[in-house]
Amino acid sequence: MTTDPGTPASAPSPGQLAERKPSGRLRRVFTNRWLIQLLVVAVLLGLAAWRIDIRELGRAFARAQYTWLIFALAVYTGSRLVHAWEWQITLTKVGRAPFFGLFGATLIGTLVNAVVPAAAGDVVKIQVVANRYKLPRAGLIAGRGAEAVVNALVMVLFIVISFTLPAAGFASPKVLWLGAGGTLAAFAGAVFASHRIPNAAPRWRLLGRLPRRVRDGIDRHWPRFREGLEVLRRPKLLAIEVGLNLFGWLVDILIFWAFGRAFHLHLPLAAYVSVTVVVAIITVFPITFGNVGTYELALLSAFSLYDIPAHDALAYAVGSHLFSTAFNVGLGMIAMWCMGMQPGDVFRLHAKAAENSRPT
């Protein structure tokens, strides 16, 4: 028997290839992140549906007063305007961008967070502003980090408030106090670091061992990154930032209260504080795309503290989630139209050579 010199001796036979294909398919199926996300969503929604009567759920939607949604949309739009103002203050030293340009980028980022797995909206916001207004990405990233630190501080404040209101707690007090202490320490550390960070990249021995191209990039972006932390260094700006962030949280509570009125839930303030804190936490740590399933199950748990019937609680959770997503998608698409952007522009890493979009 002779061997064809053009055929490798170790080539697998057709039978061996057939045996390998099913296992390869199974491996791809079980490592597919989209499938894993869908399975998690199905399990969470199943747990939520297991606790309710579907017919009562339908009646809750039929009885809903949808005129309250118009009020919620108006308040929500106002909250996005406040967030754009907060972002503009954060970028005081990074560079100037038009207020309504930041407002549009905020709406587009929120749209992306509503439909894309994980929290990709912040990345999109930075890309849109960097591409359109030529602001340095290092400064935008640092500014977003400073904003996140302030938001975490205010979140701790509302967690503390939730413990002072009757029946507003939703998790182990020890875990929450531990998280609050860690957040306060992180905030103090960030403020301290913002004051200590030098104007130019330090000449540490570790940095000296990096490739020259990397060192040059650090030297170039370091001052811009430092400028993004300006809001943490200036007490007046920090006070304004905290005040606007606090106002944003109060607006969120008002929105959830409006949803409660739409679904005939006459609950105390403590309930809507709990809901706002719960939604903030699951938004910071997303498990599924658009928080589908985690949002509904978390709100069911929060409302169970107030003896709300499961079907009414789930109607509120599903309804508020659907309408919030519709708000985000609708406003984001309007913002894209006003800014002359195409869907492909949202994730563009670099600005177009010739910008044909409408001025903002």
Side-chain angles (χ1 to χ4, degrees):
M1 181 178 178
T2 60
T3 302
D4 185 354
T7 303
S10 59
S13 67
Q16 290 173 321
L17 287 173
E19 289 177 1
R20 291 182 186 179
K21 284 183 180 178
S23 62
R25 290 197 191 100
L26 286 174
R27 183 167 59 252
R28 287 194 297 272
V29 166
F30 286 109
T31 57
N32 187 301
R33 62 192 182 99
W34 283 94
L35 179 61
I36 293 172
Q37 292 252 339
L38 288 173
L39 288 174
V40 172
V41 168
V43 170
L44 293 173
L45 290 179
L47 288 173
W50 174 63
R51 299 172 56 178
I52 57 96
D53 184 328
I54 298 297
R55 287 177 298 180
E56 290 294 334
L57 176 64
R59 293 191 186 100
F61 272 99
R63 294 194 306 266
Q65 294 181 324
Y66 292 101
T67 53
W68 279 102
L69 299 179
I70 300 174
F71 174 77
L73 174 60
V75 174
Y76 178 77
T77 305
S79 74
R80 298 296 86 189
L81 286 166
V82 171
H83 183 75
W85 184 20
E86 182 183 355
W87 193 11
Q88 194 172 50
I89 292 172
T90 304
L91 301 178
T92 295
K93 204 167 182 179
V94 175
R96 292 190 61 82
F99 173 79
F100 284 104
L102 295 177
F103 177 56
T106 298
L107 295 179
I108 294 170
T110 308
L111 180 157
V112 172
N113 274 339
V115 298
V116 176
D122 286 339
V123 177
V124 167
K125 286 166 55 179
I126 290 171
Q127 288 299 111
V128 169
V129 173
N131 288 338
R132 291 181 70 88
Y133 307 116
K134 312 304 181 193
L135 267 61
R137 286 176 174 79
L140 290 168
I141 292 170
R144 181 64 192 98
E147 187 181 338
V149 168
V150 173
N151 187 59
L153 176 69
V154 178
M155 182 188 295
V156 167
L157 173 63
F158 276 92
I159 290 175
V160 172
I161 291 174
S162 74
F163 281 110
T164 65
L165 296 171
F170 57 89
S172 168
K174 291 183 179 179
V175 172
L176 290 177
W177 282 118
L178 182 62
T183 302
L184 289 172
F187 175 79
V191 172
F192 177 78
S194 70
H195 285 276
R196 301 294 297 175
I197 187 170
N199 293 324
R203 299 302 174 187
W204 294 330
R205 182 178 301 176
L206 179 62
L207 295 180
R209 295 177 180 175
L210 296 174
R212 183 174 183 81
R213 184 178 178 182
V214 176
R215 294 201 311 271
D216 290 344
I218 293 174
D219 290 339
R220 184 171 62 255
H221 294 299
W222 186 279
R224 305 290 178 262
F225 185 85
R226 185 180 185 279
E227 290 168 354
L229 301 176
E230 182 71 11
V231 71
L232 296 179
R233 283 191 294 273
R234 292 170 59 178
K236 182 179 178 180
L237 289 182
L238 183 57
I240 295 173
E241 188 83 3
V242 170
L244 289 175
N245 203 290
L246 178 62
F247 179 77
W249 272 78
L250 295 175
V251 169
D252 287 343
I253 293 173
L254 180 61
I255 292 170
F256 286 117
W257 173 83
F259 282 131
R261 299 292 295 182
F263 287 95
H264 303 282
L265 297 185
H266 302 284
L267 294 169
L269 175 65
Y272 296 109
V273 172
S274 295
V275 168
T276 306
V277 171
V278 167
V279 171
I281 291 174
I282 64 175
T283 302
V284 172
F285 304 104
I287 299 175
T288 61
F289 56 89
N291 291 314
V292 177
T294 54
Y295 180 98
E296 286 74 16
L297 200 61
L299 262 61
L300 277 176
S301 300
F303 283 133
S304 67
L305 298 171
Y306 300 92
D307 298 323
I308 299 297
H311 54 268
D312 287 335
L314 187 60
Y316 176 98
V318 173
S320 61
H321 201 177
L322 284 175
F323 293 125
S324 295
T325 301
F327 291 169
N328 291 330
V329 171
L331 291 173
M333 292 181 70
I334 292 172
M336 290 177 62
W337 179 78
C338 291
M339 298 176 75
M341 293 180 60
Q342 300 297 323
D345 298 331
V346 172
F347 295 99
R348 191 181 300 279
L349 295 179
H350 302 288
K352 293 180 179 178
E355 187 64 65
N356 298 320
S357 60
R358 304 176 187 180
T360 56

